[in-house]
Amino acid sequence: MSTPKKGNRSVKPLQEFVLEGFEGGLQTQALLFALFLALYVVAVLGNLTMIVVITLDARLHSLMYFFLKNLSFVDLCYSSVITPKALATFLSSSKLITFGGCATQLFFFSLLATTEAFLLAVMAYDRFVAICSPLRYPITMRPSVCARLVLGSYCGGCLNSILQTSFTFSLPFCSSNHIDHFLCDVPPLLKLACADTMINELVLFGICGLIIVGTTLVVLTSYGYITVTILRMRSGGGRHKLFSTCGSHMTAVSLFYGTVFVMYAQPGAVESMEQGKVVSVFYTLVIPMLNPLVYSLRNKDVQEALQRLGQRHTAT
């Protein structure tokens, strides 16, 4: 193993970590528990509703909703990777997480968050082709092509997750086993390492920066062309409908990429643990909660599908 940073202590393999979470007494922890639980329940119900409605309503069996269904699935999973453990630690004196549990949490969290970044870019490209080249859309965005794009998003997320997890957990941890966070993430774990973390930080900022910049460019380019195309339309009703649909997507994209950039793709992000905790709440809970609300509340097709599903349930 690598030589420790401080002193001559021997490096002992850790069996468990302690998730410190947020500072504060029992009342503060109870308040945080209630907040996290409320956000999580809304996120689970919202994303499950979107998945069920899109699955059961034949009118929503289009490629746009195929992508949206996958987005809801990813949001549901990656909030569930983090929140149950966080809730368990708020009101418990034991805030332990095993070494293997920490590595597993980091792996799936990184996989799903990266997959979401790619999915949002794919959805932007899908809207670009649908609006700017409607005649070519059935050929360009064939179901087989869309399936490969979604599969590629998951594969890209898996590759990044393998790299981040393997690089992080190959480090020796000897200074402390207390993670200054409510989840196992790369930045707080790097602070516990007793070896040089320069390569790990370069991997984190390099890969995450490349993913964020690359997918953001796809989104901005797609919506740049979409905006120009919409402004050229003569029909005010069609223009309003398209702006409404694309506006919901841009809201979700801005929230996600903004918070992820603050956490992973700026200098000094590893040092800003207090800022990191607050930002992490947004991309682990707030965004998965908002995505189905944004898409459903601003989308008439989804609203009508919900009404049909409710009427069908009432009739039976």
Side-chain angles (χ1 to χ4, degrees), residues 14-20 81-82 85 95-110 161 164-166 168-169 173 177-190 192:
L14 292 179
Q15 300 298 318
E16 57 192 15
F17 290 102
V18 178
L19 292 171
E20 292 287 350
V81 166
I82 302 300
K85 182 61 181 178
K95 301 178 183 295
L96 298 177
I97 183 170
T98 64
F99 188 89
C102 188
T104 301
Q105 187 184 69
L106 174 60
F107 176 84
F108 283 105
F109 173 64
S110 179
S161 181
Q164 299 293 353
T165 306
S166 59
T168 301
F169 282 91
F173 300 102
N177 69 334
H178 287 249
I179 300 175
D180 188 17
H181 215 299
F182 64 88
L183 61 92
C184 288
D185 201 0
V186 176
L189 283 167
L190 293 186
L192 302 184

Side-chain angles (χ1 to χ4, degrees), residues 47 50-75 115 118-120 122-124 126-127 137 141-154 249 295 299 301-302:
N47 285 292
M50 291 298 293
I51 292 171
V52 170
V53 169
I54 293 171
T55 301
L56 296 181
D57 196 297
R59 299 185 190 184
L60 298 183
H61 290 178
S62 65
L63 295 178
M64 183 178 80
Y65 293 105
F66 168 70
F67 292 128
L68 182 53
K69 182 178 176 180
N70 277 276
L71 180 66
S72 294
F73 174 75
V74 169
D75 279 336
T115 300
F118 285 123
L119 269 178
L120 290 171
V122 167
M123 291 171 69
D126 172 71
R127 291 300 84 205
Y137 183 77
M141 300 299 289
R142 299 186 304 276
S144 59
V145 172
C146 295
R148 286 197 291 269
L149 286 172
V150 170
L151 179 61
S153 298
Y154 282 100
H249 189 192
Y295 282 106
N299 191 308
D301 292 336
V302 175

Side-chain angles (χ1 to χ4, degrees), residues 217-257:
L217 283 176
V218 172
V219 170
L220 292 178
T221 302
S222 297
Y223 278 98
Y225 279 106
I226 288 172
T227 302
V228 172
T229 302
I230 291 176
L231 291 175
R232 289 175 178 172
M233 288 182 173
R234 296 180 180 179
S235 170
R239 186 185 304 175
H240 174 74
K241 182 178 180 180
L242 287 173
F243 264 128
S244 177
T245 302
C246 296
S248 63
H249 189 192
M250 281 304 297
T251 301
V253 166
S254 301
L255 286 170
F256 180 79
Y257 285 120

Side-chain angles (χ1 to χ4, degrees), residues 39-48 50 71-83 109 112-113 116 252 255-256 259 279-295:
L39 292 172
Y40 181 58
V41 168
V42 175
V44 169
L45 292 177
N47 285 292
L48 276 177
M50 291 298 293
L71 180 66
S72 294
F73 174 75
V74 169
D75 279 336
L76 175 65
C77 290
Y78 96 77
S79 61
S80 297
V81 166
I82 302 300
T83 313
F109 173 64
L112 294 162
E116 173 143 346
L255 286 170
F256 180 79
T259 52
V279 173
S280 296
V281 174
F282 276 89
Y283 66 76
T284 58
L285 273 172
V286 176
I287 293 173
M289 178 201 70
L290 285 178
N291 276 349
L293 296 178
V294 166
Y295 282 106

Side-chain angles (χ1 to χ4, degrees), residues 24-34 90-91:
L26 185 59
Q27 190 172 11
T28 302
Q29 299 301 312
L31 182 62
L32 287 170
F33 177 87
F90 281 132
L91 299 181

